[in-house]
Short mmCIF file of all heavy atoms in Angstrom, two decimals:
data_model
loop_
_atom_site.label_atom_id
_atom_site.label_comp_id
_atom_site.label_asym_id
_atom_site.label_seq_id
_atom_site.Cartn_x
_atom_site.Cartn_y
_atom_site.Cartn_z
N MET A 252 0.81 -1.20 -0.10
CA MET A 252 0.03 -0.05 -0.05
C MET A 252 0.92 1.24 0.05
O MET A 252 1.78 1.33 0.79
CB MET A 252 -0.86 -0.02 1.31
CG MET A 252 -1.68 1.30 1.45
SD MET A 252 -2.61 1.30 2.95
CE MET A 252 -4.05 0.43 2.37
N ALA A 253 0.62 2.09 -0.79
CA ALA A 253 1.41 3.37 -0.95
C ALA A 253 1.01 4.31 0.14
O ALA A 253 -0.09 4.35 0.68
CB ALA A 253 1.16 4.00 -2.32
N VAL A 254 2.01 5.04 0.55
CA VAL A 254 1.84 6.13 1.56
C VAL A 254 0.99 7.26 1.00
O VAL A 254 1.11 7.68 -0.15
CB VAL A 254 3.21 6.86 2.02
CG1 VAL A 254 3.02 7.95 2.80
CG2 VAL A 254 4.04 5.70 2.65
N THR A 255 -0.07 7.59 1.85
CA THR A 255 -0.94 8.79 1.28
C THR A 255 -0.86 9.85 2.32
O THR A 255 -1.53 9.81 3.28
CB THR A 255 -2.41 8.24 1.08
OG1 THR A 255 -2.80 7.62 2.43
CG2 THR A 255 -2.52 7.30 -0.03
N LEU A 256 0.00 10.86 1.99
CA LEU A 256 0.21 11.90 2.87
C LEU A 256 -0.15 13.20 2.11
O LEU A 256 0.03 13.25 0.79
CB LEU A 256 1.59 12.07 3.39
CG LEU A 256 2.07 11.03 4.32
CD1 LEU A 256 3.55 11.19 4.65
CD2 LEU A 256 1.24 11.08 5.64
N ASP A 257 -0.75 14.22 2.70
CA ASP A 257 -1.04 15.51 2.02
C ASP A 257 0.26 16.00 1.35
O ASP A 257 1.34 16.09 2.02
CB ASP A 257 -1.59 16.47 3.02
CG ASP A 257 -1.96 17.75 2.43
OD1 ASP A 257 -2.99 17.80 1.66
OD2 ASP A 257 -1.38 18.69 2.77
N GLN A 258 0.05 16.53 0.19
CA GLN A 258 1.20 17.02 -0.57
C GLN A 258 1.92 18.22 0.13
O GLN A 258 3.14 18.42 0.16
CB GLN A 258 0.92 17.46 -2.03
CG GLN A 258 2.07 17.81 -2.72
CD GLN A 258 3.16 16.74 -3.01
OE1 GLN A 258 2.69 15.62 -3.30
NE2 GLN A 258 4.34 17.05 -2.81
N GLN A 259 1.13 19.03 0.85
CA GLN A 259 1.74 20.21 1.59
C GLN A 259 2.57 19.67 2.73
O GLN A 259 3.64 20.16 3.07
CB GLN A 259 0.68 21.14 2.11
CG GLN A 259 -0.04 21.93 1.10
CD GLN A 259 -1.14 22.78 1.73
OE1 GLN A 259 -1.77 22.44 2.58
NE2 GLN A 259 -1.14 23.99 1.10
N LEU A 260 2.20 18.55 3.41
CA LEU A 260 2.93 17.86 4.42
C LEU A 260 4.30 17.41 3.79
O LEU A 260 5.40 17.56 4.30
CB LEU A 260 2.30 16.88 5.15
CG LEU A 260 2.99 16.19 6.26
CD1 LEU A 260 3.42 17.11 7.28
CD2 LEU A 260 2.11 15.02 6.82
N LEU A 261 4.20 16.71 2.68
CA LEU A 261 5.39 16.13 2.03
C LEU A 261 6.39 17.17 1.66
O LEU A 261 7.53 17.02 1.68
CB LEU A 261 4.97 15.30 0.85
CG LEU A 261 4.47 13.84 1.09
CD1 LEU A 261 3.91 13.26 -0.18
CD2 LEU A 261 5.42 13.09 1.76
N ASP A 262 5.80 18.38 1.27
CA ASP A 262 6.58 19.48 0.87
C ASP A 262 7.56 20.15 1.88
O ASP A 262 8.59 20.59 1.79
CB ASP A 262 5.89 20.63 0.26
CG ASP A 262 5.27 20.26 -1.13
OD1 ASP A 262 5.66 19.19 -1.69
OD2 ASP A 262 4.24 20.94 -1.49
N ILE A 263 7.04 19.96 3.21
CA ILE A 263 7.81 20.57 4.30
C ILE A 263 8.59 19.48 5.15
O ILE A 263 9.50 19.86 5.78
CB ILE A 263 6.87 21.34 5.24
CG1 ILE A 263 5.84 20.46 5.93
CG2 ILE A 263 6.35 22.52 4.52
CD1 ILE A 263 4.99 21.16 7.04
N LEU A 264 8.26 18.24 4.93
CA LEU A 264 8.98 17.25 5.59
C LEU A 264 10.39 17.09 5.19
O LEU A 264 10.62 17.16 3.89
CB LEU A 264 8.35 15.86 5.51
CG LEU A 264 6.99 15.67 6.34
CD1 LEU A 264 6.48 14.24 6.09
CD2 LEU A 264 7.23 15.72 7.82
N ALA A 265 11.40 16.88 6.06
CA ALA A 265 12.71 16.61 5.62
C ALA A 265 13.44 15.63 6.55
O ALA A 265 12.98 15.31 7.72
CB ALA A 265 13.59 17.98 5.81
N CYS A 266 14.54 15.09 6.00
CA CYS A 266 15.21 14.07 6.77
C CYS A 266 15.78 14.79 8.03
O CYS A 266 16.36 15.80 7.96
CB CYS A 266 16.31 13.55 5.90
SG CYS A 266 17.41 12.30 6.68
N PRO A 267 15.73 14.11 9.30
CA PRO A 267 16.21 14.55 10.40
C PRO A 267 17.70 14.53 10.54
O PRO A 267 18.32 15.01 11.49
CB PRO A 267 15.48 13.82 11.46
CG PRO A 267 15.14 12.53 10.97
CD PRO A 267 14.90 12.87 9.49
N SER A 268 18.48 13.96 9.56
CA SER A 268 19.83 13.86 9.69
C SER A 268 20.45 15.23 9.40
O SER A 268 19.61 16.17 9.04
CB SER A 268 20.38 12.82 8.71
OG SER A 268 20.22 13.26 7.37
N ASP A 269 21.75 15.36 9.44
CA ASP A 269 22.32 16.70 9.24
C ASP A 269 22.09 17.32 8.03
O ASP A 269 22.12 18.61 7.91
CB ASP A 269 23.92 16.68 9.61
CG ASP A 269 24.15 16.25 11.01
OD1 ASP A 269 23.29 16.56 11.88
OD2 ASP A 269 25.22 15.74 11.24
N ASP A 270 21.87 16.65 7.01
CA ASP A 270 21.62 17.17 5.62
C ASP A 270 20.26 17.80 5.36
O ASP A 270 20.03 18.73 4.64
CB ASP A 270 21.97 16.32 4.46
CG ASP A 270 21.20 14.95 4.50
OD1 ASP A 270 20.11 14.91 5.14
OD2 ASP A 270 21.75 14.01 3.99
N HIS A 271 19.20 17.37 6.16
CA HIS A 271 17.82 17.89 6.01
C HIS A 271 17.36 18.01 4.65
O HIS A 271 16.62 18.83 4.23
CB HIS A 271 17.70 19.30 6.68
CG HIS A 271 18.17 19.30 8.03
ND1 HIS A 271 17.60 18.71 9.05
CD2 HIS A 271 19.26 20.05 8.63
CE1 HIS A 271 18.23 18.99 10.31
NE2 HIS A 271 19.33 19.76 9.99
N ALA A 272 17.57 16.83 3.87
CA ALA A 272 17.16 16.80 2.57
C ALA A 272 15.61 16.50 2.42
O ALA A 272 15.08 15.81 3.47
CB ALA A 272 17.89 15.68 1.76
N PRO A 273 15.02 16.78 1.34
CA PRO A 273 13.60 16.40 1.27
C PRO A 273 13.42 14.87 1.21
O PRO A 273 14.28 14.15 0.95
CB PRO A 273 13.19 16.93 -0.19
CG PRO A 273 14.24 17.93 -0.47
CD PRO A 273 15.54 17.51 0.24
N LEU A 274 12.14 14.44 1.47
CA LEU A 274 11.83 12.89 1.42
C LEU A 274 10.97 12.71 0.29
O LEU A 274 10.18 13.58 -0.08
CB LEU A 274 11.18 12.69 2.82
CG LEU A 274 11.89 12.91 4.08
CD1 LEU A 274 10.97 12.74 5.27
CD2 LEU A 274 13.06 11.86 4.14
N ARG A 275 10.91 11.50 -0.07
CA ARG A 275 10.06 10.99 -1.22
C ARG A 275 9.30 9.83 -0.76
O ARG A 275 9.79 9.06 0.07
CB ARG A 275 10.75 10.72 -2.54
CG ARG A 275 11.76 9.62 -2.43
CD ARG A 275 12.27 9.29 -3.85
NE ARG A 275 13.22 8.16 -3.73
CZ ARG A 275 14.59 8.38 -3.85
NH1 ARG A 275 15.05 9.51 -4.11
NH2 ARG A 275 15.35 7.32 -3.72
N VAL A 276 8.19 9.56 -1.31
CA VAL A 276 7.44 8.37 -0.98
C VAL A 276 7.91 7.09 -1.59
O VAL A 276 8.31 7.20 -2.71
CB VAL A 276 5.87 8.62 -1.35
CG1 VAL A 276 5.03 7.36 -1.18
CG2 VAL A 276 5.25 9.82 -0.66
N GLY A 277 7.90 6.09 -0.75
CA GLY A 277 8.35 4.77 -1.29
C GLY A 277 9.92 4.69 -1.34
O GLY A 277 10.65 5.48 -0.71
N THR A 278 10.34 3.71 -2.14
CA THR A 278 11.84 3.52 -2.40
C THR A 278 12.07 3.47 -3.90
O THR A 278 11.08 3.33 -4.63
CB THR A 278 12.36 2.24 -1.72
OG1 THR A 278 11.63 1.11 -2.48
CG2 THR A 278 11.99 2.08 -0.34
N PRO A 279 13.30 3.60 -4.31
CA PRO A 279 13.53 3.48 -5.69
C PRO A 279 13.06 2.15 -6.37
O PRO A 279 12.58 2.13 -7.38
CB PRO A 279 15.07 3.65 -5.85
CG PRO A 279 15.51 4.51 -4.65
CD PRO A 279 14.52 3.99 -3.53
N ASP A 280 13.25 1.09 -5.63
CA ASP A 280 12.80 -0.25 -6.04
C ASP A 280 11.18 -0.43 -5.87
O ASP A 280 10.80 -1.29 -6.64
CB ASP A 280 13.53 -1.34 -5.31
CG ASP A 280 15.04 -1.20 -5.48
OD1 ASP A 280 15.46 -0.82 -6.55
OD2 ASP A 280 15.72 -1.64 -4.51
N ASP A 281 10.64 0.18 -4.89
CA ASP A 281 9.27 -0.14 -4.64
C ASP A 281 8.51 1.27 -4.21
O ASP A 281 8.49 1.60 -3.13
CB ASP A 281 9.17 -1.08 -3.47
CG ASP A 281 7.66 -1.34 -3.22
OD1 ASP A 281 6.70 -1.02 -3.86
OD2 ASP A 281 7.43 -2.13 -2.15
N PRO A 282 8.08 1.97 -5.22
CA PRO A 282 7.30 3.16 -5.09
C PRO A 282 5.97 3.05 -4.12
O PRO A 282 5.52 4.09 -3.66
CB PRO A 282 7.01 3.76 -6.43
CG PRO A 282 7.28 2.67 -7.39
CD PRO A 282 7.99 1.67 -6.72
N GLU A 283 5.54 1.83 -3.99
CA GLU A 283 4.40 1.61 -3.16
C GLU A 283 4.71 1.23 -1.75
O GLU A 283 3.82 1.00 -0.92
CB GLU A 283 3.50 0.47 -3.73
CG GLU A 283 3.11 0.71 -5.24
CD GLU A 283 2.03 1.87 -5.20
OE1 GLU A 283 1.15 1.79 -4.45
OE2 GLU A 283 2.10 2.70 -6.15
N ALA A 284 6.00 1.24 -1.34
CA ALA A 284 6.35 0.81 -0.06
C ALA A 284 5.94 1.91 1.02
O ALA A 284 5.83 3.04 0.72
CB ALA A 284 7.88 0.76 0.05
N ASP A 285 5.58 1.49 2.25
CA ASP A 285 5.18 2.32 3.31
C ASP A 285 6.35 2.90 4.01
O ASP A 285 6.51 2.81 5.17
CB ASP A 285 4.32 1.57 4.26
CG ASP A 285 2.90 1.31 3.70
OD1 ASP A 285 2.43 2.01 2.88
OD2 ASP A 285 2.32 0.27 4.15
N VAL A 286 7.23 3.78 3.32
CA VAL A 286 8.26 4.37 3.77
C VAL A 286 8.46 5.74 3.15
O VAL A 286 7.98 5.95 2.01
CB VAL A 286 9.60 3.54 3.72
CG1 VAL A 286 9.51 2.33 4.38
CG2 VAL A 286 9.98 3.42 2.37
N LEU A 287 9.17 6.54 3.79
CA LEU A 287 9.66 7.84 3.15
C LEU A 287 11.10 7.73 3.07
O LEU A 287 11.81 7.34 4.12
CB LEU A 287 9.20 9.04 4.06
CG LEU A 287 7.73 9.27 4.20
CD1 LEU A 287 7.58 10.61 5.08
CD2 LEU A 287 7.11 9.62 2.87
N THR A 288 11.70 8.06 1.89
CA THR A 288 13.13 7.86 1.68
C THR A 288 13.76 9.22 1.46
O THR A 288 13.28 10.03 0.79
CB THR A 288 13.37 6.95 0.40
OG1 THR A 288 12.65 5.79 0.58
CG2 THR A 288 14.90 6.74 0.11
N CYS A 289 14.89 9.38 2.09
CA CYS A 289 15.65 10.70 2.02
C CYS A 289 16.27 10.75 0.65
O CYS A 289 16.93 9.70 0.19
CB CYS A 289 16.70 10.77 3.13
SG CYS A 289 17.75 12.18 3.00
N THR A 290 16.08 11.83 -0.02
CA THR A 290 16.74 12.02 -1.30
C THR A 290 18.23 12.18 -1.27
O THR A 290 18.94 12.12 -2.33
CB THR A 290 16.12 13.14 -2.03
OG1 THR A 290 16.32 14.45 -1.31
CG2 THR A 290 14.58 13.06 -2.30
N GLU A 291 18.89 12.42 -0.12
CA GLU A 291 20.28 12.71 -0.10
C GLU A 291 20.92 11.41 0.48
O GLU A 291 21.84 10.87 -0.09
CB GLU A 291 20.58 13.92 0.86
CG GLU A 291 21.92 14.30 0.88
CD GLU A 291 22.60 14.82 -0.47
OE1 GLU A 291 21.79 15.34 -1.23
OE2 GLU A 291 23.75 14.46 -0.68
N CYS A 292 20.67 11.07 1.70
CA CYS A 292 21.42 9.93 2.36
C CYS A 292 20.72 8.55 2.20
O CYS A 292 21.49 7.51 2.31
CB CYS A 292 21.53 10.22 3.86
SG CYS A 292 20.01 10.11 4.80
N GLY A 293 19.48 8.56 1.63
CA GLY A 293 18.88 7.18 1.31
C GLY A 293 18.22 6.59 2.52
O GLY A 293 17.72 5.40 2.39
N ARG A 294 18.29 7.15 3.65
CA ARG A 294 17.63 6.56 4.78
C ARG A 294 16.05 6.38 4.60
O ARG A 294 15.49 7.19 3.90
CB ARG A 294 17.76 7.32 6.02
CG ARG A 294 19.20 7.24 6.83
CD ARG A 294 19.17 8.01 8.11
NE ARG A 294 20.37 7.92 8.83
CZ ARG A 294 21.47 8.79 8.64
NH1 ARG A 294 21.36 9.80 7.80
NH2 ARG A 294 22.54 8.60 9.34
N ARG A 295 15.53 5.29 5.06
CA ARG A 295 14.09 4.99 4.96
C ARG A 295 13.42 5.09 6.19
O ARG A 295 13.83 4.37 7.23
CB ARG A 295 14.04 3.63 4.29
CG ARG A 295 14.65 3.61 2.97
CD ARG A 295 14.65 2.13 2.38
NE ARG A 295 15.34 2.20 0.99
CZ ARG A 295 15.62 1.22 0.40
NH1 ARG A 295 15.33 -0.05 0.81
NH2 ARG A 295 16.16 1.33 -0.72
N TYR A 296 12.43 5.94 6.35
CA TYR A 296 11.65 6.06 7.55
C TYR A 296 10.28 5.47 7.46
O TYR A 296 9.60 5.65 6.40
CB TYR A 296 11.44 7.55 7.87
CG TYR A 296 12.79 8.31 7.95
CD1 TYR A 296 13.53 8.92 6.88
CD2 TYR A 296 13.41 8.30 9.27
CE1 TYR A 296 14.72 9.49 7.13
CE2 TYR A 296 14.61 8.83 9.44
CZ TYR A 296 15.27 9.46 8.38
OH TYR A 296 16.53 10.11 8.54
N PRO A 297 10.01 4.62 8.35
CA PRO A 297 8.58 3.91 8.21
C PRO A 297 7.51 4.82 8.42
O PRO A 297 7.51 5.84 9.03
CB PRO A 297 8.69 2.91 9.43
CG PRO A 297 9.61 3.42 10.37
CD PRO A 297 10.67 4.26 9.50
N VAL A 298 6.33 4.45 7.79
CA VAL A 298 5.06 5.24 7.96
C VAL A 298 4.12 4.15 8.54
O VAL A 298 3.83 3.18 7.91
CB VAL A 298 4.54 5.74 6.66
CG1 VAL A 298 3.26 6.44 6.92
CG2 VAL A 298 5.54 6.64 5.97
N THR A 299 3.80 4.46 9.86
CA THR A 299 2.85 3.53 10.55
C THR A 299 1.57 4.15 10.79
O THR A 299 1.43 5.23 11.33
CB THR A 299 3.51 3.20 11.95
OG1 THR A 299 4.98 2.94 11.73
CG2 THR A 299 2.81 2.11 12.74
N ASP A 300 0.50 3.46 10.35
CA ASP A 300 -0.81 3.96 10.46
C ASP A 300 -1.02 5.37 9.82
O ASP A 300 -1.66 6.25 10.43
CB ASP A 300 -1.40 3.94 11.80
CG ASP A 300 -1.37 2.52 12.42
OD1 ASP A 300 -1.74 1.60 11.60
OD2 ASP A 300 -1.21 2.31 13.61
N GLY A 301 -0.26 5.68 8.70
CA GLY A 301 -0.43 6.95 8.12
C GLY A 301 0.57 8.00 8.83
O GLY A 301 0.43 9.15 8.41
N ILE A 302 1.29 7.71 9.86
CA ILE A 302 2.13 8.62 10.52
C ILE A 302 3.66 8.40 10.28
O ILE A 302 4.06 7.39 10.59
CB ILE A 302 1.80 8.64 12.01
CG1 ILE A 302 0.35 8.99 12.19
CG2 ILE A 302 2.75 9.60 12.79
CD1 ILE A 302 -0.11 8.71 13.71
N PRO A 303 4.30 9.35 9.65
CA PRO A 303 5.71 9.16 9.47
C PRO A 303 6.45 9.14 10.74
O PRO A 303 6.31 9.97 11.52
CB PRO A 303 6.27 10.34 8.55
CG PRO A 303 4.93 11.11 8.22
CD PRO A 303 3.83 10.63 9.17
N VAL A 304 7.44 8.17 10.81
CA VAL A 304 8.22 8.01 12.11
C VAL A 304 9.64 8.56 11.60
O VAL A 304 10.42 7.74 11.18
CB VAL A 304 8.30 6.59 12.57
CG1 VAL A 304 9.15 6.44 13.87
CG2 VAL A 304 6.93 6.03 12.81
N LEU A 305 9.74 9.83 11.87
CA LEU A 305 11.02 10.46 11.45
C LEU A 305 12.03 10.55 12.49
O LEU A 305 12.60 11.57 12.93
CB LEU A 305 10.85 11.87 10.93
CG LEU A 305 9.75 11.92 9.73
CD1 LEU A 305 9.54 13.39 9.31
CD2 LEU A 305 10.40 11.12 8.53
N LEU A 306 12.46 9.36 13.04
CA LEU A 306 13.46 9.14 14.09
C LEU A 306 14.68 8.52 13.52
O LEU A 306 14.53 7.40 12.84
CB LEU A 306 12.92 8.39 15.30
CG LEU A 306 11.67 8.99 15.98
CD1 LEU A 306 11.18 7.97 16.94
CD2 LEU A 306 12.04 10.31 16.61
N LEU A 307 15.86 8.97 13.70
CA LEU A 307 17.11 8.36 13.17
C LEU A 307 17.23 7.02 13.67
O LEU A 307 17.70 6.10 12.96
CB LEU A 307 18.33 9.18 13.48
CG LEU A 307 18.42 10.56 12.69
CD1 LEU A 307 19.59 11.41 13.18
CD2 LEU A 307 18.56 10.29 11.15
N ASP A 308 16.86 6.78 14.92
CA ASP A 308 16.94 5.40 15.54
C ASP A 308 16.01 4.46 14.85
O ASP A 308 16.25 3.12 14.87
CB ASP A 308 16.58 5.40 17.01
CG ASP A 308 17.72 6.13 17.80
OD1 ASP A 308 18.88 6.29 17.17
OD2 ASP A 308 17.56 6.56 18.95
N GLU A 309 14.98 4.87 14.24
CA GLU A 309 14.08 3.96 13.62
C GLU A 309 14.30 3.79 12.13
O GLU A 309 13.58 3.04 11.46
CB GLU A 309 12.50 4.48 13.88
CG GLU A 309 12.14 4.59 15.30
CD GLU A 309 11.96 3.15 15.96
OE1 GLU A 309 11.39 2.30 15.13
OE2 GLU A 309 12.27 3.07 17.14
N ALA A 310 15.09 4.64 11.57
CA ALA A 310 15.46 4.64 10.20
C ALA A 310 16.20 3.40 9.72
O ALA A 310 17.03 2.97 10.52
CB ALA A 310 16.05 6.04 9.77
N GLU A 311 16.01 2.95 8.50
CA GLU A 311 16.76 1.90 7.89
C GLU A 311 17.77 2.66 6.95
O GLU A 311 17.36 3.28 5.97
CB GLU A 311 15.93 0.92 7.13
CG GLU A 311 16.66 -0.28 6.51
CD GLU A 311 15.69 -1.09 5.85
OE1 GLU A 311 15.10 -1.93 6.49
OE2 GLU A 311 15.66 -0.99 4.67
N HIS A 312 19.05 2.44 7.16
CA HIS A 312 20.03 2.98 6.30
C HIS A 312 20.36 2.02 5.13
O HIS A 312 20.29 0.79 5.40
CB HIS A 312 21.25 3.23 7.07
CG HIS A 312 22.21 4.31 6.27
ND1 HIS A 312 23.00 3.85 5.26
CD2 HIS A 312 22.37 5.65 6.57
CE1 HIS A 312 23.64 5.03 4.97
NE2 HIS A 312 23.33 6.04 5.49
N PRO A 313 20.48 2.44 3.89
CA PRO A 313 20.70 1.62 2.79
C PRO A 313 21.87 0.61 2.99
O PRO A 313 21.80 -0.57 2.68
CB PRO A 313 21.00 2.47 1.60
CG PRO A 313 20.43 3.82 1.99
CD PRO A 313 20.51 3.90 3.46
N ALA A 314 22.92 1.03 3.72
CA ALA A 314 23.99 0.13 3.95
C ALA A 314 23.51 -0.96 4.91
O ALA A 314 24.04 -2.15 4.79
CB ALA A 314 25.22 0.89 4.61
N ASP A 315 22.72 -0.77 5.84
CA ASP A 315 22.25 -1.75 6.77
C ASP A 315 21.42 -2.81 6.03
O ASP A 315 21.45 -3.90 6.37
CB ASP A 315 21.30 -1.16 7.87
CG ASP A 315 22.06 -0.09 8.74
OD1 ASP A 315 23.34 -0.31 8.85
OD2 ASP A 315 21.37 0.80 9.18
N ARG A 316 20.72 -2.40 4.99
CA ARG A 316 19.85 -3.23 4.22
C ARG A 316 20.73 -4.27 3.50
O ARG A 316 20.48 -5.46 3.26
CB ARG A 316 18.96 -2.54 3.29
CG ARG A 316 17.99 -3.36 2.62
CD ARG A 316 17.06 -2.66 1.87
NE ARG A 316 15.90 -3.48 1.41
CZ ARG A 316 14.74 -3.13 1.43
NH1 ARG A 316 14.34 -1.96 1.91
NH2 ARG A 316 13.80 -4.04 1.11
N GLN A 317 21.90 -3.77 2.91
CA GLN A 317 22.71 -4.58 2.10
C GLN A 317 23.46 -5.53 2.90
O GLN A 317 23.69 -6.79 2.53
CB GLN A 317 23.82 -3.70 1.30
CG GLN A 317 23.07 -2.79 0.25
CD GLN A 317 24.03 -1.88 -0.40
OE1 GLN A 317 25.12 -1.73 0.13
NE2 GLN A 317 23.50 -1.06 -1.35
N THR A 318 23.85 -5.26 4.17
CA THR A 318 24.72 -6.17 4.98
C THR A 318 23.75 -6.96 5.85
O THR A 318 24.27 -7.97 6.45
CB THR A 318 25.65 -5.40 5.86
OG1 THR A 318 24.92 -4.47 6.68
CG2 THR A 318 26.67 -4.46 4.96
N GLY A 319 22.48 -6.64 6.00
CA GLY A 319 21.56 -7.42 6.85
C GLY A 319 21.75 -7.00 8.28
O GLY A 319 21.21 -7.64 9.19
N GLN A 320 22.46 -5.92 8.62
CA GLN A 320 22.65 -5.51 10.01
C GLN A 320 21.43 -4.53 10.49
O GLN A 320 20.84 -3.96 9.56
CB GLN A 320 23.98 -4.78 10.22
CG GLN A 320 25.09 -5.68 9.91
CD GLN A 320 26.40 -4.72 10.00
OE1 GLN A 320 26.31 -3.58 10.14
NE2 GLN A 320 27.61 -5.43 9.87
N ALA A 321 21.26 -4.63 11.74
CA ALA A 321 20.25 -3.68 12.25
C ALA A 321 20.85 -2.33 12.32
O ALA A 321 22.06 -2.19 12.55
CB ALA A 321 19.78 -4.17 13.68
N PRO A 322 20.03 -1.14 12.22
CA PRO A 322 20.57 0.09 12.25
C PRO A 322 21.12 0.48 13.61
O PRO A 322 20.80 -0.07 14.61
CB PRO A 322 19.39 0.99 12.03
CG PRO A 322 18.21 0.17 11.84
CD PRO A 322 18.60 -1.28 11.98
#
């Protein structure tokens, strides 16, 4: 199921890491994924019950996904 957030909210949401880059819905591989992906660092933030969880501790970093390690 794709993330359905108001476009105005998506326009102001940014990655909480130091670069504060914009977020996009889904992932490059799965645009229907229930995550927001940082356009700069690639961290993936889960969207739970329609609420983005923008916590660095909850984010999945692309390197973690490739190695199978927990963030």
Side-chain angles (χ1 to χ4, degrees):
M252 172 183 277
V254 174
T255 54
L256 294 174
D257 183 68
Q258 187 59 45
Q259 287 181 321
L260 177 61
L261 283 172
D262 290 344
I263 61 172
L264 287 178
C266 181
S268 69
D269 292 336
D270 55 24
H271 303 296
L274 299 169
R275 68 172 175 254
V276 174
T278 68
D280 298 331
D281 184 6
E283 299 291 314
D285 287 334
V286 298
L287 295 177
T288 302
C289 177
T290 56
E291 185 67 32
C292 68
R294 284 185 177 92
R295 297 174 181 171
Y296 298 94
V298 177
T299 306
D300 296 327
I302 301 170
V304 181
L305 299 178
L306 300 171
L307 289 172
D308 291 343
E309 298 291 323
E311 181 182 280
H312 199 280
D315 298 333
R316 185 175 195 136
Q317 292 172 357
T318 61
Q320 296 176 356

